[in-house]
Amino acid sequence: MKILVSADIEGVGSVVRSEHSGIQGREYAQARRLMTEEVNAAVRAAFDAGATDVLVVDAHNVGLNLLPEALDERARLVMGSPRPLAMMEGVDRGMDAVCYVGYHGMAGTTDAAIAHIFHSRVAALKFNGLQVGEIGLNALLAGVFKVPVVMIAGDAVACREARELLPGIETAVVKESIGAYAGICLHPQRCREAIYTAVARALARLETFEPLVLKETAVIMEIRFTTASSVDRALRLPGTERVSGDTLVYRAPDYLTAFKAFAAITDLLELVPWI
Ligand SMILES: [Zn+2]
């Protein structure tokens, strides 16, 4: 059994503000330790459940957050960027399941700590009308390779978002967010116990999970931005079409192509942070 653990930081227990998640933040050193230990809980549970290979993906920022020396030494770590499959790098390597650690709600959600999707100027993202955050974006990417997402750890809103999209997913609620930058947090040890248990429950009934796939092969991706100037910039990509001041669509033959276009557009926005 091969397991991919995709780890973000905003949904880690006791992480509630950009002082934690920003790499210059004064609490960042603490946040990356907390992130590493939550990942370790998932890795331990996977091996205890019979995994033969656990690949951990450092999926926050440029992929240099998890502390390699503190990581369970049985796991291998995907780090650095850019990578073709971004937060899911390695999901194309014959994985049996994906577990999310430190995941967060989609941009614009109420009571979801540091909610966003990839880039601060993306307000909403839809594929064939289905609105997704990083939970859905990455579950659809796993679906391309027929891999189900079976477990998520994050705040209560992220876990609810995941359950609505992926019925039956096991969840570990590590905090209850209050607005966008505050929360009621469980003790880190309790977070790790919850994660261990959720991974164990999921892998014990792995055969009951289905990968998430869109009904249609062709994909219309719609991105709404926080600024009209973001659309001006994103229109550099051939095939994009403006549908209103702040929204564009991109028609792709399949989901993987749409995902690549989304990643390219967010990279493009990163190059011009002043507009
Ligand atoms: Zn994220």
Side-chain angles (χ1 to χ4, degrees):
M1 181 167 62
K2 295 175 73 168
I3 306 297
L4 188 92
V5 177
S6 176
D8 206 349
I9 208 167
E10 292 89 352
V12 167
S14 302
V15 168
V16 292
R17 282 180 54 90
S18 59
E19 283 87 342
H20 295 113
S21 60
I23 56 173
Q24 312 282 6
R26 67 177 160 83
E27 299 299 321
Y28 173 66
Q30 162 80 343
R32 59 195 301 207
R33 279 196 298 276
L34 293 166
M35 178 190 184
T36 304
E37 290 306 326
E38 289 199 1
V39 167
N40 277 341
V43 171
R44 208 160 48 241
F47 279 113
D48 286 354
T52 50
D53 186 17
V54 178
L55 192 60
V56 174
V57 185
D58 192 328
H60 176 63
N61 196 274
V62 296
L64 300 178
N65 309 279
L66 292 166
L67 301 165
E69 280 187 316
L71 198 63
D72 189 310
E73 61 185 76
R74 295 169 294 179
R76 291 179 301 141
L77 175 61
V78 178
M79 55 195 299
S81 65
R83 311 181 290 233
L85 299 177
M87 299 176 75
M88 299 295 272
E89 193 63 42
V91 75
D92 56 341
R93 294 173 179 243
M95 294 294 152
D96 294 295
V98 173
C99 298
Y100 287 160
V101 171
Y103 266 57
H104 51 80
M106 67 173 78
T109 316
T110 308
D111 289 333
I114 331 178
H116 65 278
I117 174 154
F118 261 47
H119 195 282
S120 58
R121 272 185 285 140
V122 177
L125 174 65
K126 290 181 185 173
F127 294 100
N128 292 348
L130 175 71
Q131 188 170 352
V132 296
E134 288 173 19
I135 292 168
L137 177 80
N138 290 329
L140 286 167
L141 195 50
V144 170
F145 302 97
K146 315 249 181 305
V147 186
V149 179
V150 302
M151 178 271 173
I152 179 172
D155 69 10
V157 164
C159 290
R160 190 186 67 210
E161 184 182 315
R163 275 196 303 272
E164 284 169 1
L165 189 66
L166 307 162
I169 189 170
E170 292 286 351
T171 59
V173 176
V174 297
K175 64 194 169 195
E176 193 185 317
S177 298
I178 301 167
Y181 299 111
I184 302 172
C185 300
L186 298 186
H187 187 278
Q189 194 51 43
R190 291 290 170 91
C191 298
R192 295 163 201 162
E193 286 163 14
I195 290 166
Y196 181 95
T197 308
V199 172
R201 279 199 307 259
L203 298 186
R205 57 177 184 87
L206 192 51
E207 69 287 351
T208 64
F209 292 95
E210 297 280 346
L212 180 68
V213 282
L214 295 169
K215 280 196 272 309
E216 314 81 5
T217 307
V219 173
I220 299 175
M221 174 172 69
E222 183 185 300
I223 311 174
R224 181 164 58 82
F225 296 91
T226 57
T227 62
S229 59
S230 302
V231 179
D232 299 341
R233 183 62 62 171
L235 286 170
R236 296 267 190 227
L237 185 73
T240 50
E241 187 188 324
R242 180 174 231 140
V243 291
S244 71
D246 60 0
T247 304
L248 67 73
V249 297
Y250 179 85
R251 286 166 220 279
D254 52 56
Y255 181 77
L256 191 56
T257 308
F259 173 82
K260 287 178 182 174
F262 179 67
I265 287 167
T266 50
D267 275 359
L268 204 53
L269 296 181
E270 198 62 43
L271 291 172
V272 281
W274 57 88
I275 58 165

